[in-house]
Amino acid sequence: MLGRLVAKNLSESLGVSVIVENRTGAGGTIGTDHVAKSAPDGLTLLLGATGPVSVGKALYPKLPYDPAKDLTPIALISRVPFVVVAHPDQPFKNIADIVAAAKAKPNSITYGSAGNGTPQHIIGEMFKQATNTELTHVPYRGSAPATIDLLGNQVAIMFDNPGPLVQHIKTGRLKALAQTGPTRSAAFPDVPTMSEAGLKGFVATPWYGIMGPANMPPAIAEKLNKEINASLGKPDVIAKLAEAGLTTSLMSLREMRTFLDGESIKWGDAARRSNASLD
């Protein structure tokens, strides 16, 4: 959704065709590697995300790119508080219920993710560390198939981006137990934060932004930054993001670089503490 939204507005403002190409797999590192190895002419861009950029190097010993050296930060789109969701048939009414069940029977609760090394996976690992519990991780090739199995009660819970889940929560097909932001989201005003649910200080807000290959000429990066930031300020774009429980996070090129440096430390540390390592 975010990729299509940015593409539509760039196409309109620049007067060129902007094509969204999905390159899934390996927690987003396949698509990220493709962009990292592309020409830095501004014609190939990446919908960058926490997993392949801020987490990847800590999880993949053989990661074929260096996020800090092989990518050019261009614009931040949003920081996204995730939601903890469960199938309605699961007995959990709140986070305390999950913790109690996991302690009573370790690894009996399954949680789906968009793949190894994705924020969905790492937040699950952070949850395990914070609660001293054991859950069984079930990785999928993206959030969509994981959500399908959650809706079918094939996995018990997920820690996921609220965007694709909003309608399922509103219609009662899924129940939201908590959210991982520092404050409650306007999209889910009745859903407590993790701190309110008993996990004091538990905050995890994955990010999404636009990036390009390394060595992109500053003038091109600056132009794209201004165009994308301008589009994110449009009322219709703000409304579209709000429907998915998202808000914009406008940053300059320098601010985004500083932000990403901090995110790599935060998420990399969390990944290393999880002892996960992927080939």
Side-chain angles (χ1 to χ4, degrees):
M1 183 272 281
L2 294 177
R4 290 193 298 271
L5 194 62
V6 171
K8 175 179 179 293
N9 281 275
L10 276 182
S11 179
E12 293 173 352
S13 65
L14 298 178
V16 298
S17 296
V18 182
I19 300 167
V20 177
E21 180 180 347
N22 295 315
R23 293 208 175 205
T24 61
T29 61
I30 291 175
T32 303
D33 183 51
H34 171 72
V35 174
K37 291 178 169 55
S38 298
D41 52 13
L43 299 180
T44 303
L45 303 176
L46 170 73
L47 177 61
T50 301
V53 178
S54 300
V55 177
K57 196 171 182 180
L59 280 184
Y60 293 88
K62 299 178 182 178
L63 193 69
Y65 59 90
D66 185 333
K69 297 178 180 178
D70 298 333
L71 295 168
T72 297
I74 294 174
L76 189 68
I77 299 175
S78 182
R79 300 183 69 180
V80 186
F82 274 27
V83 287
V84 186
V85 289
H87 189 276
D89 289 346
Q90 292 293 330
F92 318 125
K93 295 181 180 179
N94 49 47
I95 294 298
D97 287 346
I98 295 177
V99 174
K103 286 185 179 294
K105 194 174 181 181
N107 288 314
S108 62
I109 300 173
T110 54
Y111 78 95
S113 83
N116 287 316
T118 60
Q120 291 90 339
H121 173 203
I122 300 304
I123 291 178
E125 294 300 313
M126 292 168 68
F127 179 84
K128 288 163 56 178
Q129 295 163 23
T131 58
N132 193 29
T133 57
E134 291 297 328
L135 309 177
T136 297
H137 175 222
V138 183
Y140 290 82
R141 194 178 177 91
S143 278
T147 301
I148 290 173
D149 271 9
L150 180 65
L151 289 167
N153 204 17
Q154 302 303 306
V155 291
I157 63 173
M158 280 180 65
F159 306 83
D160 205 1
N161 181 334
L165 303 177
V166 170
Q167 291 305 314
H168 297 313
I169 294 170
K170 288 183 176 179
T171 57
R173 297 186 68 195
L174 295 175
K175 54 184 176 182
L177 306 180
Q179 46 193 318
T180 66
T183 59
R184 295 193 184 195
S185 164
F188 306 107
D190 298 327
V191 178
T193 64
M194 289 290 241
S195 289
E196 291 172 330
L199 300 185
K200 300 298 182 183
F202 191 109
V203 175
T205 53
W207 60 269
Y208 296 90
I210 301 299
M211 310 184 79
N215 302 314
M216 181 178 288
I220 293 178
E222 189 67 44
K223 172 70 171 176
L224 289 169
N225 174 267
K226 290 182 178 178
E227 293 290 345
I228 293 170
N229 281 347
S231 71
L232 293 174
K234 294 180 178 179
D236 62 319
V237 174
I238 293 173
K240 183 71 174 177
L241 291 173
E243 288 176 8
L246 309 180
T247 57
T248 56
S249 298
L250 306 185
M251 291 187 183
S252 66
L253 293 177
R254 178 174 294 184
E255 289 170 338
M256 189 176 177
R257 171 67 74 180
T258 300
F259 168 75
L260 290 183
D261 288 344
E263 290 294 283
S264 292
I265 294 172
K266 174 183 176 179
W267 288 95
D269 286 348
R272 282 184 284 271
R273 286 196 301 271
S274 74
N275 294 318
S277 181
L278 308 173
D279 294 328

